[in-house]
Amino acid sequence: MANLERTNFGSKIGIILASAGSAVGLGNIWRFPYLTGEDGGAAFILVYVICVLFLGIPVMVAEFIIGRRSRANTGQAYAVLAPSAPAWKWVGMMGVLAAFLILGYYGVVAGWTLEYTVASSMGVFLNDGDYTAFFNAFVSHPWRPVLYMVLFMLLTHVIIVRGVKEGIERCSKVMMPMLLLIICVLVVCSLSLPGAADGLKFLLQPDFSKIDGKVLLDAMGQTFFSMSVGMGCLCTYASYFTNDANLMKTAGSVALIDTTVAVLAGFVIFPAVFSVPGLSVDAGPGLVFVTLPNVFHLAFGDVPWVGYIFSLMFYLLLVLATLTSTISLHEVATAYVHERFRVTRRRAAVVVTSVCAVLGVFCALSFGLLSDVRVFGLTLFDLCDFVTAKLMLPLGGMLIAVFTGWYLDRRIVYDEVTNCGKLRIPFFKFYIFLLKFVAPIAIASIFINELFR
Ligand code: PHE
């Protein structure tokens, strides 16, 4: 019989760093800069910050409340809190399914980051080369992206089997400070480049005429993805929070770290891109895998060793950020399998790693061998991305807000947010208003728009 005794994170800083580790990931360093590039720079960032404040943070706190109160994984939390309304459990189940699906395709891009780290350690990006062709050849290769994806899954697996405290918390405590340090060094390097001023202008001077429906939708979708909210990821982590953790403060700190890293990633990437004439900021998803390798050798051509260190540190940063996110996705699924089917944590992790790796193989090959396999016109990779980031996360976020704002006993919400009256929370009424009205209505509008676009 598996031991189902639950552990908690060991310290407040561990709680914040693990949650911030989940939030900070490819979403910040890969997705945020390319959306900023496509959606007009500063204006997009402004809308994004508003979404973080009024949608992201309230839903994150709601996930924390559900997780810590139920002390259960997201798949079972709703049954604990709403035993007389079993339909709510499907919100949690959708979260578990989303964890499998996101890990399946996120693992593929995670694998790319590993491959690019290896390539930059071998000095590949220091020479004049056709990096578009390099990228295309790699992602469509019959086995290399699969190999790197599997390696990344195994890395995640090793951390997860070590447990919540020894695995997740310990790694986050080491990797998050490293990540913050690396990104600061990169910002300094990037700002010393000749084109830095144009890059900064792009990031800091808003052009409000750029804000349209697409920008709003992109910003809201990005908020959920980047903050890891809407699928119970932070609900599962919160089930390991100690009783004295301040939920509002934790959510505020996580949001601050997540947004800062995203903006700093912009400070690294845009000055560098602007310093090379002819490169464009709206290169889309290829920005960090195609445009940046060009930057490394062009911008640092005179001092190749700086270019070498810059590129290696950049991809290492991407690996670290991605790893702290993949462990959180893995934990959602592992905790569910472990507690629901009463198998050991190790066995649960093996199941999750195997299922996600199989899914990952299909997603990885959808850039090459399986590129003709389409569902609704999308490759398997794009399908997983669309179904999760565009549909399941907003829908989940909306239902989490409705559950906490409308269904859950107000006393429970109050007790969780104030730690049974020990903390003074001045905006409690405003928080409930955001949960009951603002978040569901705003999210419903993104969701409907995405569906019928
Ligand atoms: N927040 C992560 C990122 O920015 C992605 C993620 C989404 C992780 C959902 C967990 C859950 O990369």
Side-chain angles (χ1 to χ4, degrees):
M1 187 71 177
N3 176 10
L4 291 186
E5 215 170 282
R6 301 187 114 249
T7 44
N8 281 347
F9 286 121
S11 63
K12 283 188 190 160
I13 186 76
I15 287 175
I16 292 178
L17 290 180
S19 310
S22 167
V24 173
L26 290 168
N28 306 59
I29 304 168
W30 169 64
R31 216 164 178 263
F32 181 84
Y34 86 68
L35 285 177
T36 307
E38 284 178 349
D39 288 343
F44 171 80
I45 298 181
L46 199 74
V47 179
Y48 176 77
V49 170
I50 294 173
C51 291
V52 168
L53 292 176
F54 295 103
L55 297 179
I57 294 180
V59 178
M60 186 185 284
V61 174
E63 286 201 20
F64 284 169
I65 293 171
I66 297 169
R68 190 171 68 174
R69 184 69 179 198
S70 64
R71 293 275 177 218
N73 65 78
T74 196
Q76 296 181 303
Y78 295 84
V80 175
L81 296 181
S84 54
W88 282 111
K89 101 166 181 238
W90 292 105
V91 178
M93 295 306 291
M94 185 170 77
V96 176
L97 179 66
F100 277 104
L101 293 177
I102 298 181
L103 194 52
Y105 84 88
Y106 198 85
V108 175
V109 187
W112 298 351
T113 66
L114 211 53
E115 151 80 10
Y116 269 63
T117 308
V118 173
S120 54
S121 75
M122 297 190 309
V124 171
F125 303 127
L126 290 182
N127 309 315
D128 204 358
D130 180 350
Y131 296 113
T132 311
F134 177 88
F135 178 72
N136 289 336
F138 165 62
V139 297
S140 61
H141 194 273
W143 54 263
R144 272 172 55 209
V146 174
L147 175 75
Y148 281 102
M149 179 274 299
V150 171
L151 277 177
F152 211 101
M153 291 284 185
L154 290 177
L155 210 59
T156 309
H157 180 92
V158 170
I159 298 173
I160 286 295
V161 290
R162 303 196 65 166
V164 172
K165 227 185 234 169
E166 289 301 310
I168 301 174
E169 184 172 357
R170 224 176 170 186
C171 282
S172 308
K173 274 175 151 168
V174 175
M175 292 197 284
M176 289 306 287
M178 249 162 84
L179 182 150
L180 293 174
L181 185 75
I182 294 181
I183 201 159
C184 290
V185 174
L186 291 178
V187 170
V188 174
C189 264
S190 201
L191 289 182
S192 64
L193 287 170
D198 290 333
L200 284 183
K201 212 151 122 208
F202 180 73
L203 276 173
L204 299 177
Q205 239 175 38
D207 172 0
F208 293 106
S209 67
K210 290 269 165 53
I211 299 180
D212 59 9
K214 175 182 181 298
V215 172
L216 291 178
L217 296 183
D218 277 352
M220 286 205 259
Q222 173 64 11
T223 305
F224 283 97
F225 187 82
S226 182
M227 296 179 78
S228 306
V229 297
M231 51 153 296
C233 203
L234 296 174
C235 169
T236 298
Y237 269 16
S239 70
Y240 310 125
F241 283 9
T242 46
N243 286 332
D244 62 350
N246 181 334
L247 300 187
M248 290 268 184
K249 236 188 188 163
T250 306
S253 315
V254 173
L256 185 68
I257 297 176
D258 190 55
T259 309
T260 308
V261 172
V263 173
L264 288 180
F267 279 135
V268 174
I269 292 171
F270 292 110
V273 173
F274 274 97
S275 70
V276 179
L279 286 186
S280 120
V281 289
D282 55 1
L287 189 63
V288 305
F289 293 108
V290 176
T291 310
L292 270 197
N294 274 306
V295 167
F296 298 136
H297 77 96
L298 290 175
F300 299 101
D302 305 338
V303 261
W305 64 271
V306 179
Y308 176 82
I309 294 177
F310 190 93
S311 67
L312 186 56
M313 277 174 70
F314 181 82
Y315 290 113
L316 198 62
L317 168 75
L318 220 47
V319 167
L320 289 178
T322 309
L323 190 56
T324 49
S325 296
T326 53
I327 56 181
S328 73
L329 288 161
H330 202 297
E331 179 61 26
V332 171
T334 300
Y336 174 73
V337 174
H338 167 55
E339 292 174 353
R340 165 71 180 77
F341 299 102
R342 297 170 174 271
V343 293
T344 59
R345 200 177 149 85
R346 181 177 290 272
R347 198 169 278 179
V350 171
V351 171
V352 174
T353 304
S354 316
V355 172
C356 290
V358 170
L359 194 66
V361 171
F362 285 102
C363 289
L365 294 180
S366 73
F367 291 89
L369 286 180
L370 299 180
S371 60
D372 291 336
V373 178
R374 304 267 163 156
V375 183
F376 305 121
L378 297 174
T379 62
L380 295 174
F381 179 94
D382 290 336
L383 183 72
C384 282
D385 180 58
F386 180 80
V387 170
T388 55
K390 302 264 167 74
L391 301 181
M392 289 168 108
L393 294 191
L395 183 62
M398 183 173 78
L399 293 172
I400 288 167
V402 170
F403 179 78
T404 316
W406 293 92
Y407 181 84
L408 205 57
D409 190 339
R410 187 63 32 83
R411 191 77 230 165
I412 292 183
V413 178
Y414 184 81
D415 279 353
E416 282 303 318
V417 166
T418 62
N419 290 351
C420 297
K422 284 194 213 76
L423 304 171
R424 263 184 46 77
I425 301 291
F427 327 103
F428 186 70
K429 284 223 171 81
F430 181 58
Y431 173 60
I432 296 293
F433 173 75
L434 287 177
L435 272 190
K436 279 180 101 159
F437 301 103
V438 177
I441 293 170
I443 299 165
S445 54
I446 343 174
F447 182 58
I448 291 167
N449 246 306
E450 285 291 348
L451 212 58
F452 299 107
R453 193 141 64 131

